[in-house]
Amino acid sequence: MKWLFSGTMTASLAMMAPQAGVQATAQMAQGVAARSTPDAAVRTHEDLVALYQQARKDVDFTVRDHVPDVSEQAMAARQQAAQRAMARIGAIDDAAWPIPQRADLMLALAEMRGVDFEHRVLRPWARDPSWWSTLDLGWGPKVKTAFSPPKLPIKDPAAKAAFAQQLRATPTILANARRTLTDARGDLIQLGIMHHDIETRVYGRLARDVAKHHPELLGLARAAEKASREFAAWLRAEKSRLPQHAGIGIADFDWYLKNVMLMPWTFAEMKVLGEREWERSMAFLAIEEHEHQALPMPRPVTSLDGFEALRREADEDLLRFLKARKIMTVPDWLTVPPPEGPYVMPANQDPAVPGPFAEPIDRNFFREAEDRDPRSLRAHNLPGHIFDSASRTRDPRPIRGDERLGFIDSGRLEGWAFYLEEMLLQAGWLDDRPKAREIHYVLQANRGARLKAELLAQANEWTFDQALESLSGRTPRWMEKTDDTAIYDMALYLRQPGLGLNYYFGKVQLEQLLAEERLAKGDDFDLTKFHDRFIQSGLIPIALIRWEMTGKDDQVRTMR
């Protein structure tokens, strides 16, 4: 098995055992309800903004000398701050506020619920060794202080001092991890071993570079490498005595979907809908394959220059199409991005792994698609993630303009990006590229295959390996069980519930909203205006966007 991951998420130490999660959820909800009397200090949206901003500060991680404070006292204070904020936000009488302001309240409340849920159920500091990533090698939940390996030599004295402090802190952080990982699971241990093995090799490469450029820091670099190696060895020794399954269970999963992710469906409903979506994708793939069976699949590019040329051509074509068809308003600042190479996962940063175009080329699943025709993935990224990221920096609104805690905006981010793939296919962008249409449905079937795998892993019906077998086995092309993408995805979705589901169910929410608006407006419906209104609402859960665009509160009133 090759590879693994990382990312950003605040979290802290456990106050309760996982088996107490469901009971604690109910007790907490009752306690908040009992305290939910009108808060005289919070009457206006401006008051809410002040409360929210203070709460965000109160639940942030305390860091001393680059070491996160995971002491019982610090973690108790963090959870209590989240619960106080939940009670105060939940007590606000916002009935007379405009819907966008009420949506902001729901957003602030969901974030604080998410922090409390980390303490009661997720508890990554106690369960997940990969959360203790000291290096930032990719996306996913990890300690606040994880850092990206710098480019050497470092000329700025302040940056060099900061780097020395980062190296010096690594052994302390990993020593704290050993004391804090009191509720680990076998599946998460296995993922942690893979991840920390990669970190060890990256530290080794870093130490070799440090020896050339900053020999005075070599002792710190070698100590960090040694601490990482010994931590991985400790994980290996711990693995055999631990229970295997690492899911949070259906009851807690349902609570999280509704109260934190603000999703309108339950585990059981998602299981049925997810299978239908996978079946639909496979059926359309079969039709496309039949229609164009005489045409060969494009051969993949074999060089970085070829890769960038293919991507640039797709981006230029995509921007022309969006503007010509008036799919959405394309701002002047959305242009073809500079070359960035293939998507980088931790496996691609492993010194033991050849470069992306080193012969013989070892392509992961997404590379197999993108190296042949990148159009579906560019639809996902250019008017999707690249556009959203730039839009967030231009959004001055307090609360909704902020980067979200706990990934609760991922349904909007991934749902919109995934929706763009099929919407643009249906709009005709791939009409003259039949094999690109096939690639689209292979990608779509892969996203559909994730759903059952993630759900059953979180329900503790499947181990990680069983979920990985299902994901790779039900992806129709280019994915083996050892595929970097397959391992990366399943690891991320086991570690952070909901992330895999959000691609498909965010798209389904958006399609639900589109259907409702088309029916309501009839012949006056305008797709450009619909997309622009959706985008203007910002990067918030789609249930809140639907409330703003339609005035319908049938979903959100069950989430308050």
Side-chain angles (χ1 to χ4, degrees), residues 427-446:
W429 187 39
L430 303 182
D431 281 357
D432 61 346
R433 305 183 76 90
K435 289 301 176 180
R437 292 173 64 90
E438 284 185 31
I439 290 172
H440 162 81
Y441 284 116
V442 171
L443 292 168
Q444 191 173 82
N446 167 258

Side-chain angles (χ1 to χ4, degrees), residues 175-296:
N176 289 344
R178 294 198 199 194
R179 289 191 292 271
T180 308
L181 282 165
T182 57
D183 189 30
R185 294 291 189 272
D187 279 341
L188 293 177
I189 287 277
Q190 180 60 36
L191 300 177
I193 290 168
M194 289 189 285
H195 183 78
H196 286 282
D197 280 346
I198 292 175
E199 287 206 357
T200 299
R201 291 190 286 271
V202 173
Y203 273 123
R205 178 180 60 192
L206 194 57
R208 292 189 292 274
D209 292 342
V210 163
K212 298 175 186 176
H213 299 289
H214 301 291
E216 68 278 15
L217 300 182
L218 181 57
L220 294 177
R222 288 299 185 196
E225 179 189 9
K226 180 175 181 287
S228 182
R229 182 186 304 109
E230 291 178 348
F231 183 62
W234 178 77
L235 292 174
R236 285 184 170 88
E238 292 289 300
K239 184 178 183 298
S240 62
R241 66 179 186 82
L242 297 171
Q244 192 74 12
H245 291 90
I248 63 173
I250 294 174
D252 279 324
F253 193 82
D254 275 342
W255 190 93
Y256 181 74
L257 287 171
K258 176 181 177 181
N259 294 284
V260 179
M261 301 303 291
L262 305 184
M263 279 280 185
W265 297 295
T266 65
F267 174 97
E269 291 167 335
M270 284 186 166
K271 189 175 177 182
V272 173
L273 286 169
E275 281 299 280
R276 176 67 189 104
E277 288 296 315
W278 176 78
E279 292 160 357
R280 185 176 75 92
S281 301
M282 291 294 292
F284 287 161
L285 172 62
I287 294 168
E288 289 290 340
E289 290 172 331
H290 175 78
E291 288 298 305
H292 310 291
Q293 56 190 296
L295 294 177

Side-chain angles (χ1 to χ4, degrees), residues 363-428:
R363 293 180 176 86
N364 62 41
F365 170 75
F366 281 116
R367 285 280 311 280
E368 287 283 3
E370 192 168 27
D371 287 9
R372 297 169 194 275
D373 193 317
R375 277 166 172 72
S376 275
L377 289 175
R378 297 317 292 166
H380 188 100
N381 283 302
L382 181 54
H385 293 323
I386 293 172
F387 176 72
D388 278 344
S389 180
S391 296
R392 195 197 294 275
T393 66
R394 292 167 167 80
D395 191 339
R397 292 172 291 186
I399 302 181
R400 72 177 59 199
D402 288 342
E403 203 165 324
R404 301 269 65 87
L405 299 181
F407 309 111
I408 69 171
D409 54 356
S410 61
R412 160 60 180 83
L413 292 168
E414 301 297 354
W416 164 249
F418 187 35
Y419 162 85
L420 285 165
E421 295 180 37
E422 185 169 10
M423 184 272 293
L424 286 167
L425 178 148
Q426 297 297 341

